[in-house]
Amino acid sequence: MTTRINVLFSFLFITIFLNIFSINQARQHKNPSSSSSSSSSSLPSSSSSSPSSFLVLALTKSSVSLPTPNSQIQERIKKPLESSIGAVMEPLREVRDGYLITLNIGTPPQSVQVYMDTGSDLTWVPCGNLSFDCIDCYDFKNNNLKSSSTFSPLHSSSSFRASCASSYCVEIHSSDNAFDPCAIAGCSVGMLLKSTCLRPCPTFAYTYGEGGLVSGILTRDILKTQTREVPRFSFGCVASTYHEPIGIAGFGRGLLSLPSQLGFVQKGFSHCFLPFKFVNNPNISSPLILGDSLLSGNLTNSLQFTPMLNTPMYPNSYYLGLESITIGTNVTATQVPLTLKQFDSQGNGGMLIDSGTTYTHLPDPLYSQILTSLQSTITYPRATETESRTGFDLCYKVPCPNNNLTSLENDATMMFPSITFHFLDNAALILPQGNSFYAMSAPSDGSVVKCLLFRNMEDGDHYGPAGVFGSFQQQNVKVVYDLEKERIGFQVMDCVTEAVSHGLSKVREQQQKSSIF
């Protein structure tokens, strides 16, 4: 999700932070980051370092050199590239805090893995001729979550810096007058009005939730997918960040987003996220499909669709309208505040659906009502020590015979109450069992602790979305973004089976080959 941060704060912090002389765009993406001292088998809590510990004096700036635009390069883009291909399928690799997509950029191609994020537009990659600096990323590095590759513009013969004539430059600096950044860079008013200014696009800044920040150069280069090529893909070449160890592929509805530049902004995309137990498993990937073939009638008949809500504050984000939540077999659903299905006069409200936010966030008093309803129906003993350690508000010690977690998951008598989200247009999504309570560690002494992986929105000023539907609650659910009809569809399914059907499971392939002999 993108929001603007305070202009004065941005100016003071960024100027000291990276010595940037002209910063006219700053956005905030609500993506609660996570840190944990537990083992890789358990999910991390959502606590993070305080935004006050910016370590400003310890910052360094890497030098990135890119060719500047020349008169032969025409960068003015009138409209996104139209796609003549029915669909593009890309694998998503699951890591602790999200799902990674591989981008092949440059000549020759350089492969960089970045987060797939439906809550923002900009695509950026770790970039530098020698190194990529991530400030205050110790928690991420200690959990083996760090950038495994960077993009080097000097090693790409087709890389060049975007100019002020590019519509993408206007988009990245759209928080102010679109002419201002390039006027500072030395372009005349006449050149700006004619979009003929070939001065380099000024450095941009982009901020994310929990104090994350990136700053870099808007760059153009060849992007290659399995089935198509974008000759002048626009992305951020970022050499230094704060609290953002891995690049991001923005999947919002704006001009800069990956679907838009691939030509699918008027069509759509879908994903089927594998469960967290497949984190860092190299043998299977979640399927991501872009294009209009996924929207054919026979494929959408089994989905439940709810309309996208549009807000002028965040026109490129995906919002849903939540009407109620049902716990277990209760006849009476828990009603939600109006702010979760409509916007106020400033554009605040609605429920953001965001793959870049791990856990679903609900506002009070709704969040407290959900906890109370669950407590009244669950009889297991509370695991208060785990609650204190992880920050999750509802954890239980569940019997696990023979310490066999697999048999526990298949035991209907040990299930937790179901949780159903009721969206606008009678679209109901019953969360799979693994999408609400999750085992925080391996079973021991015949029991295992499971916690409810929801969060309190904790937004006292009611700025931005009223709630967020996170990626954890989207596991084993096919989610379809129908951008042409402005609706989002849900269908609960086994995403392992879906991955196998798209040839994304090496384990199943090996099993099939071995069964032949």
Side-chain angles (χ1 to χ4, degrees):
M1 177 200 70
T2 57
T3 61
R4 299 190 181 100
I5 63 173
N6 182 273
V7 175
L8 179 59
F9 175 85
S10 298
F11 177 78
L12 293 176
F13 176 69
I14 304 301
T15 301
I16 299 174
F17 183 60
L18 291 174
N19 294 323
I20 299 171
F21 75 93
S22 174
I23 296 175
N24 297 278
Q25 167 70 18
R27 306 185 182 194
Q28 181 178 3
H29 171 57
K30 186 173 281 297
N31 180 12
S33 56
S34 304
S35 62
S36 174
S37 59
S38 59
S39 65
S40 60
S41 63
S42 62
L43 283 177
S45 67
S46 290
S47 61
S48 62
S49 301
S50 170
S52 62
S53 57
F54 282 144
L55 303 177
V56 174
L57 298 180
L59 302 179
T60 59
K61 182 178 180 181
S62 296
S63 176
V64 178
S65 178
L66 290 172
T68 55
N70 56 54
S71 58
Q72 279 73 43
I73 299 175
Q74 298 298 322
E75 287 206 88
R76 187 168 38 179
I77 307 296
K78 296 182 179 179
K79 61 181 180 179
L81 181 67
E82 294 295 332
S83 173
S84 59
I85 299 175
V88 170
M89 195 278 293
E90 292 291 331
L92 298 174
R93 185 173 72 87
E94 186 172 9
V95 292
R96 191 192 68 178
D97 280 346
Y99 298 83
L100 300 179
I101 182 174
T102 300
L103 302 179
N104 296 304
I105 305 174
T107 306
Q110 301 176 42
S111 295
V112 184
Q113 290 189 325
V114 297
Y115 280 123
M116 180 257 184
D117 182 20
T118 60
S120 62
D121 284 336
L122 175 68
T123 293
W124 67 269
V125 298
C127 186
N129 297 328
L130 297 177
S131 65
F132 166 70
D133 296 326
C134 183
I135 308 302
D136 196 19
C137 292
Y138 307 110
D139 290 336
F140 297 98
K141 292 178 181 179
N142 290 338
N143 286 279
N144 296 320
L145 184 62
K146 58 184 178 180
S147 178
S148 59
S149 58
T150 61
F151 174 77
S152 175
L154 288 184
H155 291 93
S156 173
S157 61
S158 53
S159 181
F160 63 95
R161 184 169 177 173
S163 79
C164 284
S166 169
S167 56
Y168 298 111
C169 181
V170 175
E171 182 76 7
I172 196 68
H173 291 288
S174 60
S175 63
D176 295 310
N177 187 313
F179 293 153
D180 286 347
C182 291
I184 295 174
C187 291
S188 67
V189 174
M191 295 174 68
L192 292 172
L193 293 174
K194 295 178 182 178
S195 297
T196 58
C197 177
L198 295 179
R199 294 275 187 175
C201 183
T203 303
F204 69 85
Y206 214 83
T207 65
Y208 295 84
E210 302 296 332
L213 179 147
V214 303
S215 181
I217 296 170
L218 194 63
T219 305
R220 310 295 295 275
D221 209 333
I222 297 173
L223 171 69
K224 294 181 179 180
T225 68
Q226 293 183 359
T227 55
R228 72 170 309 162
E229 179 178 297
V230 181
R232 291 176 180 174
F233 180 68
S234 182
F235 62 98
C237 187
V238 174
S240 296
T241 74
Y242 172 78
H243 211 63
E244 292 295 334
I246 296 179
I248 292 175
F251 270 69
R253 290 190 276 180
L255 183 67
L256 286 163
S257 76
L258 184 60
S260 177
Q261 296 193 61
L262 285 173
F264 297 127
V265 72
Q266 297 300 327
K267 296 174 182 178
F269 60 92
S270 73
H271 56 70
C272 196
F273 291 154
L274 291 167
F276 267 27
K277 65 182 179 181
F278 292 100
V279 165
N280 295 323
N281 188 328
N283 295 315
I284 189 168
S285 302
S286 300
L288 167 68
I289 302 175
L290 302 96
D292 51 6
S293 65
L294 62 91
L295 301 173
S296 60
N298 61 327
L299 295 178
T300 59
N301 290 337
S302 56
L303 279 79
Q304 296 202 41
F305 282 96
T306 186
M308 294 180 187
L309 303 184
N310 296 307
T311 169
M313 178 176 287
Y314 310 113
N316 298 334
S317 298
Y318 304 108
Y319 279 86
L320 307 172
L322 181 65
E323 291 195 302
S324 62
I325 296 177
T326 300
I327 303 299
T329 57
N330 291 343
V331 177
T332 303
T334 303
Q335 297 302 310
V336 306
L338 291 176
T339 54
L340 279 169
K341 57 182 176 181
Q342 63 185 37
F343 303 104
D344 63 19
S345 57
Q346 283 76 43
N348 301 301
M351 189 167 200
L352 177 74
I353 178 170
D354 182 12
S355 67
T357 298
T358 307
Y359 312 119
T360 289
H361 286 59
L362 298 173
D364 265 332
L366 174 63
Y367 179 73
S368 297
Q369 292 171 351
I370 296 300
L371 295 185
T372 299
S373 180
L374 287 169
Q375 291 178 64
S376 67
T377 59
I378 299 174
T379 59
Y380 302 126
R382 291 280 290 274
T384 54
E385 185 277 331
T386 302
E387 293 174 359
S388 300
R389 177 173 54 85
T390 64
F392 291 110
D393 295 311
L394 206 58
C395 299
Y396 291 96
K397 190 174 182 179
V398 182
C400 186
N402 302 318
N403 292 331
N404 190 330
L405 190 59
T406 301
S407 63
L408 175 64
E409 293 174 347
N410 297 328
D411 188 348
T413 64
M414 307 296 285
M415 295 294 184
F416 285 90
S418 62
I419 301 177
T420 305
F421 282 73
H422 301 273
F423 297 104
L424 293 176
D425 283 5
N426 297 316
L429 174 61
I430 303 176
L431 296 183
Q433 273 289 313
N435 291 17
S436 52
F437 286 87
Y438 190 83
M440 302 304 293
S441 61
S444 63
D445 300 326
S447 66
V448 65
V449 174
K450 288 193 172 186
C451 294
L452 176 69
L453 299 193
F454 282 56
R455 289 291 194 189
N456 190 335
M457 193 65 184
E458 295 182 350
D459 191 0
D461 58 3
H462 304 292
Y463 184 79
V468 182
F469 194 64
S471 63
F472 185 81
Q473 279 66 44
Q474 299 175 47
Q475 295 175 141
N476 275 333
V477 177
K478 184 176 184 179
V479 183
V480 174
Y481 293 76
D482 186 344
L483 303 183
E484 182 179 5
K485 296 182 179 180
E486 295 193 327
R487 59 180 187 167
I488 295 178
F490 299 99
Q491 180 185 3
V492 175
M493 66 168 52
D494 181 4
C495 289
V496 172
T497 301
E498 185 76 356
V500 170
S501 69
H502 290 286
L504 299 179
S505 174
K506 296 179 182 178
V507 174
R508 187 66 60 87
E509 291 175 0
Q510 292 171 355
Q511 290 175 344
Q512 290 175 345
K513 289 180 180 178
S514 62
S515 65
I516 297 176
F517 301 98

